[in-house]
Amino acid sequence: MSKQAKIRRTTVPQIAGRKGGEPIVSLTSYHAHTAAIVDKYADFILVGDSLGMVMHGMESTVGVPLDLMIMHGKAVVRGTESALVVVDMPFGTYEESPGVAFRNAAKIMKETQCGAVKLEGGKRMAETIHFLVDRGIPVMAHIGLTPQSSNVMGGFKTQGRDEDGWAAIEEDARAVAEAGAFAVVLEGMVEPLAAKITKQIAIPTIGIGASAECDGQILVLEDMLGLNEWTPKFVKVYGDLGPAIEKSVKTYAEEVKSRAFPGEDQVYK
């Protein structure tokens, strides 16, 4: 019998066990070098389909293909050692049927060696979540503002402003929890509703624009670093990398044009 390798990464049960405990830290990452930095501080890293917009200039996440998620997922896993890596299932890879979802989720996990997948949708995806979990694929759910459904929603709109709509969102949360999801992302949701859902369900809630009442928080790394010209209003920007990068590139270009780079002391003679 072969000797089992020591488990170093944060596991799905460990994340699930943090319900009501120490807040769960998470960020997105799409490539190995940023993942290696985030890995030192995050409990889990999400390879989000937001990479379509952040990395590839797409207008939404809808056009992101499965192979692109797998490519970036591989890079993040290679760059990390301790955080649980969760990979988004892109639009069109899981909605058709539980069987289709399983084939695509299994492909993601086998090829990237990630620890879990994430998919969007509440009650309507409960059967699929149960099907995947029952077959050994850990699932993180995602409800509230679901970017893959932005065309149906009419854009990126905060959920729960009308209290009459709370019941449906609460039902979504209960459905994914009962189906076996180990955690659920609450996106773009008013604080009272997010707080109510967090108290109602037995799995951790991960907030993004859903207040500090959740069991954990996640942000898009490039947003919080100030790399994008526009960021959602709920994002606290912790860095100013966009202007810093532009200043560095401008200085480099000016030095090259003036033949002042790389400098006499740095040139091979």
Side-chain angles (χ1 to χ4, degrees), residues 9-264:
R9 290 186 183 273
T10 299
T11 65
V12 163
Q14 286 174 330
I15 295 295
R18 295 274 288 276
K19 177 68 181 180
E22 182 182 3
I24 298 164
V25 178
S26 179
L27 283 164
T28 65
S29 181
Y30 316 122
H31 27 61
H33 64 281
T34 56
I37 297 170
V38 174
D39 190 50
K40 300 174 184 178
Y41 307 99
D43 298 302
F44 78 87
I45 295 173
L46 175 66
V47 186
D49 59 0
S50 50
L51 63 84
M53 303 168 73
V54 175
M55 299 289 295
H56 297 276
M58 297 180 183
E59 291 187 2
S60 74
T61 62
V62 173
V64 176
L66 182 63
D67 287 346
L68 193 61
M69 294 304 306
I70 290 172
M71 181 182 73
H72 285 279
K74 287 179 178 178
V76 170
V77 170
R78 284 194 295 263
T80 57
E81 293 183 349
S82 61
L84 173 71
V85 177
V86 182
V87 177
D88 262 342
M89 296 192 71
F91 179 72
T93 64
Y94 60 91
E95 297 91 342
E96 183 178 346
S97 70
V100 169
F102 176 79
R103 285 193 293 274
N104 288 322
K107 180 179 175 68
I108 290 172
M109 294 197 68
K110 287 195 291 186
E111 294 193 20
T112 68
Q113 296 297 297
C114 69
V117 298
K118 180 173 77 63
L119 55 79
E120 295 182 5
K123 182 179 178 181
R124 65 182 175 85
M125 296 309 305
E127 179 186 358
T128 295
I129 292 170
H130 176 76
F131 190 91
L132 296 181
V133 174
D134 199 40
R135 286 157 179 78
I137 296 179
V139 177
M140 179 176 288
H142 183 155
I143 65 171
L145 195 169
T146 47
Q148 291 176 10
S149 302
S150 61
N151 289 326
V152 174
M153 291 181 168
F156 297 89
K157 298 180 179 179
T158 301
Q159 304 297 296
R161 291 194 184 279
D162 183 354
E163 197 167 340
D164 290 340
W166 283 20
I169 301 174
E170 292 176 62
E171 187 176 4
D172 280 340
R174 287 192 296 270
V176 298
E178 292 170 2
F182 70 91
V184 58
V185 172
L186 308 183
E187 181 168 359
M189 191 178 295
V190 296
E191 180 175 329
L193 176 57
K196 187 176 183 183
I197 288 173
T198 299
K199 291 181 176 70
Q200 285 178 341
I201 62 175
I203 61 175
T205 57
I206 310 298
I208 176 166
S211 87
E213 294 298 317
C214 298
D215 295 299
Q217 295 292 324
I218 186 169
L219 286 178
V220 172
L221 181 65
E222 284 75 5
D223 284 345
M224 59 88 74
L225 291 177
L227 274 167
N228 299 322
E229 291 185 5
W230 176 88
T231 56
K233 64 180 181 180
F234 61 78
V235 173
K236 179 179 178 180
V237 179
Y238 291 81
D240 197 24
L241 267 62
I245 291 172
E246 183 173 354
K247 180 180 178 181
S248 298
V249 172
K250 180 182 178 183
T251 301
Y252 163 76
E254 290 172 347
E255 288 187 356
V256 170
K257 290 177 180 179
S258 65
R259 300 185 183 278
F261 177 84
E264 287 302 315

